Amino acid sequence: MPGASDFKVQDLVYAPCEKEVLFTPGVVVEVRAEDAVVQVADDLQTIPLGDLRRRFIRDDGATCSDNTSLVHLNDATILENLKARHEVDEIYTYTASVLLAVNPYKDVTGLYGESQCLRYRGKHIGALPPHPYAIADTAYRALVRDRKNQGFIISGESGAGKTETAKIVMEYLGYVSGSCNQKTEQIQRRVEQAQPILESFGNAVTMRNNNSSRFGKYNRVFFDEHGILVDASVTTYLLESSRVVVHARRERTYHCFYEMLRGLPDEKLSQLHLEREKLYLLLASDAQEDLADDQKWHSQFQDRDAKLFHKLCGALSTVGFSGDEIDKIFQVLAGLVHLGDLSNGEKDEGDEAATVQLDQEILNKASALLGMDSDELGGALRRRRVRVTHAGRESLHEVPRTTSQFRHALHSLIKALYKRLFERLVQRINSSFGEWRRLPEEDEKWYQIGILDIYGFERLQRNSFEQLCINLANERLQQYFVENVLVAEQDLYKREGLPWIGLELPDSTPVVSAIVQTFKTLDEYSQQLAKGFEKTSDEGFCQKTVEDSQKDVQRKEVLRPLKMSNKRGSKAGTSLAMNEGFVVKHYAGMVEYNTKGWLDKNNDRLLAECEDLICTSSFDFVASLGEADAGKVPFRSISKKYCADLENLLETLNTCHLHYIRCFKPNEFQKPAIFSQTLVLDQLVQCGTIELVKIMHDGYPNRSPFNTIVQRFRDLLPESFQRYGMRTFIEALMLAYEVPEQEWALGMSRLFLKAGQLKALEDMRSEGAEADPERLKAIVHSIIRKKWVRAKNAIQLCLYLPRFLAELRTARALRTLCTRALLVGRLQPMLLAAREKLRLRALAAQRRWRVWGTAAYASTVFMKKVRDARQRKLANAFSVAWLLHKRLIPLANAARQRLAAEAVRREAERRREEERRAAEERKRAEEEQRKREEEQKKHEEEMRKQEEERLAQIKKLEEEHQRELEEKAAYEAEMKAQAAKREAQLKAEADRREAETRAQYEEEIRRMKKDLEDKKLRTESEEDQRFGKDLIADVASPCRNSPTSRQPRLSLAGSTVEDDARSTACPTELDAGPSWSQYREMQERVLKLEQQMAERQNETREEMLKLLHNCRLAQQDNYYDEARPGLPSTPPRDRPPRYSTVSNTSCLSFDERRKSFASLKKVWGEQRKLLMVDLYPNGEDEEQSQPRTRRSSVRGDPLKSLAADYNTKRLSKTGGR
């Protein structure tokens, strides 16, 4: 990242811009630590230093034909250079040996043709403006000179002009190879005419390109040792067969269908049952929103289709197709068009499981053109064969296809026929080259130039299996470019000993590994589906792929699951569910893939019924497209074959010296004179051009071995320099012609040159330039001086080496001696101890040997005695045996005869028994076979009955489930009605209680006012004053409703009375005694007590509200099913909520509650009872259930209550007297 030291004031820079123009020119005004102030137009902007790019002024407006020659090398200057050249129709630009081509979307006059081919022939790169002819000429001359295969990799996005660039390269190779004989001329013509055929049958109109190649091809032209064209071939990769039946709106299928309708005469169209102006279903998109609008859009290509039709027919004739064969090709295409109209049979069916009704007229047309029986074709599309294996027997049954199965069968048949037709055309093109191919001689070698024109990176609205294969090829080619160009370039500098700081290069290995693993999983699922596993589905494959990728550390960053989305709410159904696709992070960005239909697309085999129709067709051309062994192997992987072809392609490219042409599209509109900097910069970064330019700019784009330089430029120096070594000769050559030292470098085996220096040397060699003699003398003098210096250094080295080696030996010997002395000092005691152990062991061994010798002697004497005894016994045994032999031999012979006769008898009996058992076994086997057949028939009947019973049970369960749903809905409606009715009753009750409470409150106010007026008229006395003071102290005590104030008191008469809730709030006649200040103090205390009572009332009200809320939740959401923490289980749902029957005080204000204590007293009691019942539904404890002791209240006049309090205090002071 650039730092503050990289910029200074008044530097010219490019500043980033958020608009379509990515970079804006500016001037640095102030430089800070991390950012700078830049003047952009009339505005001052503060921009981080890392976002600034250096720029330079082109005084004459000239551009650089080679990006490595730019003064300042960065993405902004490269982009500005490409834009300036595009504006003046200089669409080609070099980056060292790589050619960058920007599509002009128009014809550039004078840029191509035979005159330009002649101009570029034999010229080195850089001698003329950049052009594909220059790259092709370089490859051709390298093939002839170096005898090495050459290759072109033409890459870029769809619509960047890859196909046209490949045609330009083929045009030049055909021109430069010459037409020295008839065979070469015929091969050259067929190479040129093969391109229109491939474009008509393999290219289509897409949203990004009007002539997009929907397949990859590798064209090869072969040359002999003299550079004469001798052969050619075309290899194709992965035709997008699904485009035949499905394509998006504002897109078309392959050109050949539209060219046939535009170019064929009317009589042939009538023979093929076609109408020129009709928009057939196969040729229109699935999303036909406005048929008239679609026809208008298709009409813009009619003139072009008519021209290309005649060009196609001429090309087919050139490569060897006869008129009859061309008519057969168009007949197959017409049959496919009519087959496509059969898909209208399922468009009116809303039920996916419904059967299909076909248009018999369309079916007859299609079957007649394809040579098939209409009944068999309709039967194969409408019904499928099911093979049932049971008890060792197989039977075939025909089952009607659903609309989805019909669509799959129809599309499979159309795609298979078109794909095989395309492969047949490619095969015929290759065989046409062989008609004029001459066989090579015995020692003759042929060399090839390959041109790879493969589909560019694709990111469409709906990306499927074909897009993943296409992007895999681009990933491999991008990695191949990085490994074989960028990495190899850096490794070469390090290997040759040149100073080099490596660059961080992109790595596509994780992406390629993730896609390859995805294809392996796809093959497993596709094979299971082909074998008839019904549970195998595209969703299961997608889920398995995502799960496997998440388990791998590297792949989980590359292949990710889709984000959750509301598929129903998406527009036009473009959003995918979680198990319908995944996202892959490619080098060009994130791509979302739809995995629907991948299991079928990956199988190259056709349905057996459709394959039989093709093989048994009466139309010989269609019958030749069949595969007779289709039923033997039900699955053949397309992804596996594609990966194998891709590996073979890369192996072929490894044998070639490659030349790269990078194509860019300047805008998305496919219009001239529009250059989108954002789009072009993205393509520059994705294809690795920025890294290549950095390497080539900082390095040396031209490099040659020493022997090549010496041989080619030997004549530029006098013969006296020939005696020097190659390295000295090359150094003298560079110095003699004053090549700047920073423009060249000598490696270990190569000369490295900056861009343009090799061209300068070639020009001097062509012009016969000679070096300056004085400079040659100085060079010779410097060579001699360098030799003397080298000799002196060599002598000094030779004198120094013996001393240095002697010192090394001495130091090594000293280290060895020290080591040995240390070892001896440490090992001597251990050695002595080991010797003593060995001596002791030897003595012990001697003692053991003595013992063993004595034991051996004793055992020998004992064994001798035993042998003598055994010999005596053996002699006695032999004598007894001889006597027995003489006497027992006759008896033994007689016994043998008897045994032989008995054996013969037993053998005869055994044979008879075996024959009897065999007969019984045969009889038993026949009986078991008969019983087995009867049991099998009985089992089949039972299975049929069980199946019928199972279906009946399923139907019964479905009916019961529906009835339960209806009952549940009715119950919920009834509960809602009851809840609404209960809430209305509660509201009416609350309103009534509020009115009663308000009336009581007003009556209480009137009574209190009257009492206060009467109190002011009474006289005061000393006794009453003392009573007033005591009364003030009593009023200042805690609330009488609290537990601490509920003590029994004596009345004036000495009897126990009960306190009333209104006694503290209602003054009496005795309250007139105190002074005004005491009265105010008393009133303040009363207010405080009332506030405390109000707070307690609020707490009670909150508890009641919580209970009411819980009751409502219980009615709606089964709230009482779970017990609350800290409380016992609440009442069940069937118990109705209980409320106070006196009044609803929760709706009153603070003042209203303060003035109605008497009426609320009963309410509090009922509320407490309800609360205790809810908290303790099973009953209270004995202690809690006991009512609290309450004083009896003197109901009526408040004066009596105050008198009772006064008497109680007085008696307590006098001790009860």
Side-chain angles (χ1 to χ4, degrees):
M1 179 180 294
S5 60
D6 297 333
F7 295 98
K8 59 180 180 297
V9 179
Q10 298 300 322
D11 278 353
L12 302 179
V13 294
Y14 283 109
C17 183
E18 298 181 355
K19 300 178 181 179
E20 182 66 22
V21 179
L22 290 179
F23 301 98
T24 304
V27 179
V28 177
V29 177
E30 180 184 355
V31 180
R32 301 172 184 170
E34 297 181 356
D35 53 22
V37 179
V38 181
Q39 183 175 359
V40 178
D42 297 334
D43 187 18
L44 293 178
Q45 299 180 6
T46 301
I47 302 173
L49 295 176
D51 295 340
L52 295 178
R53 308 289 190 272
R54 291 188 178 275
R55 69 180 177 93
F56 61 93
I57 298 178
R58 296 189 181 93
D59 296 330
D60 54 354
T63 59
C64 293
S65 60
D66 194 333
N67 286 324
T68 58
S69 302
L70 293 171
V71 177
H72 300 298
L73 183 65
N74 50 62
D75 49 1
T77 55
I78 295 173
L79 196 62
E80 183 65 24
N81 187 45
L82 292 178
K83 180 182 178 182
R85 294 180 63 82
H86 180 263
E87 291 175 352
V88 294
D89 290 339
E90 294 178 356
I91 60 176
Y92 298 111
T93 307
Y94 288 130
T95 299
S97 59
V98 177
L99 181 66
L100 308 183
V102 182
N103 195 340
Y105 291 119
K106 65 178 181 179
D107 294 331
V108 181
T109 306
L111 194 57
Y112 311 104
E114 188 173 347
S115 60
Q116 290 293 326
C117 292
L118 179 62
R119 182 187 176 195
Y120 278 89
R121 183 169 186 175
K123 297 295 188 301
H124 295 281
I125 291 181
L128 292 174
H131 203 286
Y133 290 166
I135 303 293
D137 183 77
T138 301
Y140 178 76
R141 288 189 291 109
L143 179 139
V144 176
R145 182 182 66 248
D146 301 334
R147 300 289 196 272
K148 186 177 181 180
N149 296 333
Q150 306 293 313
F152 288 86
I153 294 183
I154 305 174
S155 59
E157 291 191 3
S158 179
K162 300 184 301 297
T163 302
E164 293 299 324
T165 305
K167 289 162 62 176
I168 293 170
V169 173
M170 291 291 291
E171 177 188 356
Y172 183 84
L173 292 177
Y175 169 81
V176 76
S177 62
S179 56
C180 57
N181 53 52
Q182 184 181 4
K183 290 184 178 181
T184 302
E185 183 178 358
Q186 286 294 332
I187 294 175
Q188 180 179 343
R189 287 185 57 199
R190 297 194 176 190
V191 168
E192 296 175 354
Q193 294 300 318
Q195 302 307 315
I197 301 175
L198 296 177
E199 285 187 20
S200 294
F201 286 86
N203 290 22
V205 175
T206 65
M207 298 184 68
R208 306 178 67 183
N209 188 4
N210 288 339
N211 190 30
S212 176
S213 298
R214 309 315 300 163
F215 70 105
K217 62 176 179 292
Y218 185 61
N219 298 320
R220 288 185 290 182
V221 287
F222 297 86
F223 301 88
D224 60 8
E225 296 177 349
H226 304 288
I228 300 175
L229 181 65
V230 293
D231 196 5
S233 68
V234 179
T235 304
T236 59
Y237 302 96
L238 190 68
L239 176 71
E240 188 184 5
S241 57
S242 62
R243 179 166 287 273
V244 184
V245 293
V246 177
H247 55 273
R249 192 166 183 265
R250 290 292 186 268
E251 290 189 359
R252 301 202 310 175
T253 185
Y254 293 102
H255 295 328
C256 56
F257 293 101
Y258 306 95
E259 294 172 1
M260 175 184 66
L261 290 176
R262 282 292 119 196
L264 280 178
D266 296 336
E267 57 273 13
K268 286 191 175 181
L269 285 177
S270 61
Q271 293 175 4
L272 299 177
H273 311 290
L274 296 175
E275 299 178 13
R276 195 181 305 276
E277 301 299 333
K278 183 178 179 180
L279 189 60
Y280 293 91
L281 293 178
L282 193 67
L283 311 184
S285 62
D286 288 343
Q288 291 189 18
E289 299 177 0
D290 189 355
L291 183 60
D293 187 34
D294 287 347
Q295 290 179 345
K296 182 179 179 181
W297 181 81
H298 281 280
S299 62
Q300 63 179 321
F301 302 102
Q302 293 180 358
D303 295 338
R304 191 190 73 170
D305 293 338
K307 295 178 182 179
L308 292 178
F309 175 80
H310 298 291
K311 190 175 181 180
L312 171 63
C313 293
L316 290 172
S317 301
T318 302
V319 298
F321 284 92
S322 62
D324 185 37
E325 291 174 334
I326 295 174
D327 292 339
K328 290 181 179 179
I329 293 173
F330 290 129
Q331 182 177 343
V332 173
L333 294 179
L336 297 181
V337 171
H338 291 299
L339 277 181
D341 278 354
L342 289 178
S343 60
N344 196 26
E346 49 90 13
K347 288 185 178 296
D348 297 333
E349 297 290 342
D351 187 7
E352 189 69 15
T355 57
V356 180
Q357 299 296 329
L358 300 180
D359 190 333
Q360 191 63 35
E361 182 181 357
I362 298 176
L363 182 64
N364 293 335
K365 294 178 182 178
S367 59
L369 293 173
L370 296 177
M372 302 175 183
D373 184 80
S374 60
D375 295 335
E376 293 181 358
L377 177 59
L381 295 177
R382 284 194 297 257
R383 294 180 295 275
R384 61 188 179 96
R385 299 174 187 173
V386 179
R387 187 181 301 274
V388 179
T389 303
H390 185 72
R393 295 182 303 172
E394 291 187 356
S395 58
L396 288 177
H397 301 274
E398 288 190 351
V399 180
R401 297 185 190 271
T402 62
T403 55
S404 60
Q405 294 171 349
F406 163 75
R407 189 186 310 112
H408 169 63
L410 178 62
H411 288 180
S412 299
L413 178 60
I414 296 174
K415 290 189 294 185
L417 285 173
Y418 187 82
K419 182 179 179 181
R420 295 175 187 181
L421 173 62
F422 180 79
E423 293 174 352
R424 178 64 57 83
L425 292 175
V426 175
Q427 180 182 359
R428 185 63 181 273
I429 290 172
N430 289 328
S431 62
S432 69
F433 297 139
E435 297 175 2
W436 298 94
R437 181 191 306 132
R438 68 175 180 85
L439 297 177
E441 298 178 1
E442 184 176 356
D443 298 333
E444 185 181 10
K445 291 184 178 180
W446 288 358
Y447 304 96
Q448 63 174 340
I449 296 180
I451 303 173
L452 179 62
D453 175 17
I454 202 163
Y455 12 60
F457 183 84
E458 290 193 349
R459 182 167 43 197
L460 309 177
Q461 292 181 352
R462 185 181 186 275
N463 302 285
S464 188
F465 174 71
E466 294 83 3
Q467 278 66 44
L468 184 62
C469 294
I470 289 171
N471 294 338
L472 171 63
N474 284 272
E475 289 283 356
R476 293 301 308 272
L477 291 175
Q478 177 68 13
Q479 186 67 15
Y480 186 84
F481 174 76
V482 170
E483 293 176 353
N484 293 273
V485 177
L486 304 183
V487 176
E489 189 76 17
Q490 298 188 89
D491 293 342
L492 178 62
Y493 291 156
K494 297 176 182 178
R495 193 168 56 250
E496 292 291 332
L498 299 182
W500 179 256
I501 300 177
L503 297 176
E504 184 178 354
L505 301 176
D507 185 13
S508 299
T509 304
V511 183
V512 174
S513 175
I515 297 177
V516 171
Q517 186 62 36
T518 300
F519 282 160
K520 291 181 180 179
T521 307
L522 180 61
D523 288 344
E524 295 177 4
Y525 277 76
S526 297
Q527 191 167 10
Q528 293 177 6
L529 182 64
K531 291 182 179 180
F533 291 90
E534 297 182 355
K535 295 184 179 180
T536 305
S537 63
D538 298 316
E539 291 78 8
F541 154 70
C542 180
Q543 185 176 359
K544 174 69 173 175
T545 301
V546 173
E547 290 177 355
D548 292 345
S549 67
Q550 297 303 308
K551 296 177 182 177
D552 189 85
V553 178
Q554 291 184 342
R555 284 192 291 144
K556 72 178 182 179
E557 299 297 332
V558 175
L559 194 150
R560 305 173 184 174
L562 292 174
K563 296 182 179 179
M564 296 185 65
S565 61
N566 185 5
K567 187 175 181 182
R568 294 183 178 179
S570 61
K571 296 181 179 180
T574 56
S575 181
L576 301 176
M578 291 289 291
N579 58 350
E580 291 184 354
F582 49 79
V583 179
V584 177
K585 183 180 180 182
H586 292 281
Y587 72 93
M590 305 294 291
V591 180
E592 182 180 290
Y593 292 97
N594 184 356
T595 58
K596 185 177 181 181
W598 281 29
L599 302 185
D600 295 325
K601 291 182 179 181
N602 190 41
N603 191 358
D604 197 28
R605 289 295 190 184
L606 190 59
L607 296 175
E609 301 91 331
C610 299
E611 193 67 52
D612 293 341
L613 291 174
I614 298 176
C615 294
T616 58
S617 173
S618 59
F619 187 17
D620 56 349
F621 188 78
V622 173
S624 64
L625 300 177
E627 296 179 355
D629 60 340
K632 298 180 180 179
V633 182
F635 172 69
R636 184 169 60 195
S637 174
I638 292 180
S639 60
K640 188 175 183 180
K641 180 179 182 299
Y642 180 74
C643 292
D645 294 342
L646 190 57
E647 292 297 330
N648 294 333
L649 173 63
L650 295 177
E651 292 179 1
T652 303
L653 294 177
N654 283 329
T655 63
C656 302
H657 176 70
L658 296 178
H659 306 269
Y660 290 90
I661 300 179
R662 299 291 196 184
C663 300
F664 302 95
K665 53 187 305 184
N667 59 78
E668 294 283 1
F669 311 106
Q670 304 182 33
K671 295 182 180 180
I674 300 177
F675 190 91
S676 174
Q677 293 188 2
T678 304
L679 180 62
V680 176
L681 181 60
D682 289 342
Q683 298 174 74
L684 286 171
V685 174
Q686 292 166 8
C687 69
T689 304
I690 300 296
E691 289 83 359
L692 175 64
V693 172
K694 289 180 180 179
I695 292 177
M696 293 302 182
H697 185 274
D698 298 337
Y700 303 89
N702 297 322
R703 73 289 313 273
S704 298
F706 287 162
N707 55 355
T708 303
I709 296 296
V710 172
Q711 292 176 2
R712 293 175 63 183
F713 302 103
R714 187 190 305 271
D715 298 335
L716 293 180
L717 292 179
E719 295 182 0
S720 58
F721 284 85
Q722 306 298 329
R723 67 177 183 271
Y724 300 122
M726 290 188 295
R727 190 180 186 89
T728 304
F729 177 84
I730 294 173
E731 185 177 0
L733 178 65
M734 297 293 104
L735 295 175
Y737 289 94
E738 300 180 355
V739 179
E741 293 184 1
Q742 64 272 16
E743 297 293 326
W744 61 278
L746 289 175
M748 302 297 295
S749 61
R750 288 178 174 84
L751 170 65
F752 292 85
L753 296 169
K754 291 283 188 180
Q757 298 304 323
L758 183 61
K759 173 182 174 297
L761 291 177
E762 291 286 353
D763 293 341
M764 286 187 288
R765 185 175 68 88
S766 302
E767 297 171 358
E770 295 182 358
D772 185 8
E774 295 296 331
R775 188 167 184 81
L776 290 177
K777 290 180 181 180
I779 293 173
V780 172
H781 178 71
S782 64
I783 292 174
I784 295 173
R785 183 167 55 81
K786 287 181 180 179
K787 284 188 174 183
W788 277 106
V789 172
R790 291 170 185 165
K792 177 184 176 183
N793 293 336
I795 293 172
Q796 290 178 352
L797 181 63
C798 292
L799 295 175
Y800 169 74
L801 280 178
R803 294 195 302 271
F804 178 71
L805 293 176
E807 293 175 357
L808 286 178
R809 294 192 193 98
T810 304
R812 188 180 301 169
L814 181 60
R815 288 195 300 270
T816 304
L817 180 61
C818 294
T819 303
R820 290 181 178 179
L822 181 63
L823 292 175
V824 169
R826 293 182 178 179
L827 294 178
Q828 185 66 23
M830 299 172 63
L831 181 61
L832 294 176
R835 288 176 180 175
E836 181 65 21
K837 288 182 180 180
L838 290 175
R839 187 181 67 80
L840 295 175
R841 289 179 181 177
L843 292 176
Q846 290 178 3
R847 288 193 294 269
R848 286 195 297 271
W849 277 110
R850 292 192 188 100
V851 173
W852 290 347
T854 304
Y857 177 76
S859 63
T860 302
V861 173
F862 177 75
M863 291 301 297
K864 183 177 180 181
K865 293 181 180 180
V866 171
R867 282 197 302 271
D868 294 341
R870 288 179 178 175
Q871 288 177 358
R872 288 193 297 271
K873 290 182 180 180
L874 185 62
N876 295 332
F878 272 121
S879 60
V880 172
W882 184 79
L883 293 174
L884 293 174
H885 178 71
K886 286 292 186 181
R887 295 180 180 179
L888 294 178
I889 283 178
L891 298 175
N893 292 334
R896 289 192 187 96
Q897 292 177 358
R898 287 195 299 272
L899 290 174
E902 183 67 19
V904 172
R905 184 181 62 78
R906 290 179 179 178
E907 181 67 21
E909 291 180 355
R910 184 182 64 79
R911 290 177 181 175
R912 288 193 297 272
E913 183 67 19
E914 288 180 354
E915 292 176 356
R916 183 183 63 79
R917 290 180 179 179
E920 292 178 356
E921 187 68 24
R922 286 194 300 271
K923 184 176 180 181
R924 188 183 302 107
E926 293 175 357
E927 184 67 21
E928 289 179 355
Q929 180 66 21
R930 183 181 60 78
K931 291 181 179 180
R932 195 182 299 112
E933 291 178 356
E934 293 178 355
E935 291 177 356
Q936 181 177 355
K937 293 180 181 180
K938 184 178 180 181
H939 178 69
E940 290 178 354
E941 184 66 22
E942 290 177 355
M943 290 297 294
R944 185 181 61 79
K945 293 180 179 180
Q946 291 178 1
E947 183 67 19
E948 293 177 354
E949 293 176 357
R950 186 179 65 84
L951 295 176
Q953 291 177 358
I954 291 174
K955 185 175 180 181
K956 184 178 180 180
L957 290 175
E958 290 178 352
E959 293 176 353
E960 292 179 356
H961 179 65
Q962 186 66 25
R963 185 168 60 255
E964 289 177 357
L965 292 178
E966 293 176 356
E967 292 177 355
K968 182 178 180 181
Y971 177 74
E972 290 178 354
E974 182 179 356
M975 291 299 296
K976 289 181 180 178
Q978 291 179 1
K981 182 178 179 182
R982 190 177 296 111
E983 288 184 2
Q985 293 176 355
L986 291 176
K987 186 175 181 182
E989 182 68 19
D991 293 340
R992 183 183 63 78
R993 291 180 180 179
E994 183 178 0
E996 293 177 357
T997 303
R998 188 177 292 109
Q1000 294 176 3
Y1001 170 73
E1002 293 175 355
E1003 181 65 25
E1004 186 75 16
I1005 291 296
R1006 288 192 299 271
R1007 190 184 64 79
M1008 289 179 66
K1009 287 182 180 180
K1010 183 178 180 181
D1011 292 342
L1012 287 175
E1013 291 175 357
D1014 295 340
K1015 181 180 64 175
K1016 291 179 182 180
L1017 300 176
R1018 296 187 180 92
T1019 59
E1020 298 180 356
S1021 62
E1022 294 179 0
E1023 186 72 23
D1024 294 334
Q1025 288 178 359
R1026 286 194 304 271
F1027 174 75
K1029 293 179 181 179
D1030 295 337
L1031 180 61
I1032 292 171
D1034 184 53
V1035 173
S1037 62
C1039 179
R1040 299 184 183 183
N1041 287 333
S1042 63
T1044 59
S1045 63
R1046 292 174 182 172
Q1047 300 296 333
R1049 294 187 179 184
L1050 296 176
S1051 63
L1052 292 174
S1055 60
T1056 302
V1057 295
E1058 181 182 6
D1059 189 13
D1060 192 15
R1062 293 183 299 182
S1063 61
T1064 60
C1066 301
T1068 62
E1069 299 175 354
L1070 299 178
D1071 290 336
S1075 63
W1076 177 249
S1077 59
Q1078 293 174 346
Y1079 180 76
R1080 288 182 59 187
E1081 184 179 357
M1082 180 181 67
Q1083 290 286 31
E1084 291 176 357
R1085 292 184 180 180
V1086 170
L1087 289 175
K1088 289 181 180 180
L1089 293 175
E1090 291 175 351
Q1091 290 178 359
Q1092 293 178 1
M1093 295 177 64
E1095 290 176 357
R1096 293 183 182 180
Q1097 182 67 11
N1098 288 334
E1099 293 177 358
T1100 306
R1101 175 176 174 270
E1102 291 177 358
E1103 293 294 333
M1104 291 300 298
L1105 289 176
K1106 289 181 181 179
L1107 291 175
L1108 180 60
H1109 180 67
N1110 293 342
C1111 182
R1112 291 176 179 174
L1113 290 178
Q1115 295 175 359
Q1116 297 176 2
D1117 302 325
N1118 297 331
Y1119 180 82
Y1120 287 107
D1121 292 344
E1122 299 180 358
R1124 292 300 177 192
L1127 293 176
S1129 300
T1130 52
R1133 295 180 59 183
D1134 54 355
R1135 179 185 297 179
R1138 294 155 300 171
Y1139 304 97
S1140 174
T1141 58
V1142 180
S1143 65
N1144 185 8
T1145 61
S1146 62
C1147 300
L1148 299 179
S1149 64
F1150 175 79
D1151 295 333
E1152 292 173 343
R1153 289 194 302 271
R1154 185 170 60 87
K1155 301 296 180 61
S1156 59
F1157 294 127
S1159 61
L1160 294 178
K1161 185 175 179 181
K1162 188 176 181 180
V1163 177
W1164 293 342
E1166 291 181 356
Q1167 290 175 350
R1168 180 184 179 278
K1169 291 180 181 180
L1170 295 176
L1171 180 61
M1172 297 304 293
V1173 170
D1174 289 338
L1175 293 177
Y1176 303 96
N1178 298 324
E1180 299 179 65
D1181 296 337
E1182 293 181 359
E1183 296 179 359
Q1184 295 175 348
S1185 61
Q1186 293 296 329
R1188 286 179 291 183
T1189 304
R1190 301 292 300 272
R1191 295 196 308 262
S1192 59
S1193 176
V1194 181
R1195 301 186 180 276
D1197 192 4
L1199 180 61
K1200 295 181 180 181
S1201 178
L1202 292 175
D1205 293 340
Y1206 174 77
N1207 292 332
T1208 303
K1209 288 184 179 181
R1210 190 179 62 177
L1211 289 175
S1212 63
K1213 289 181 181 181
T1214 58
R1217 296 190 299 272

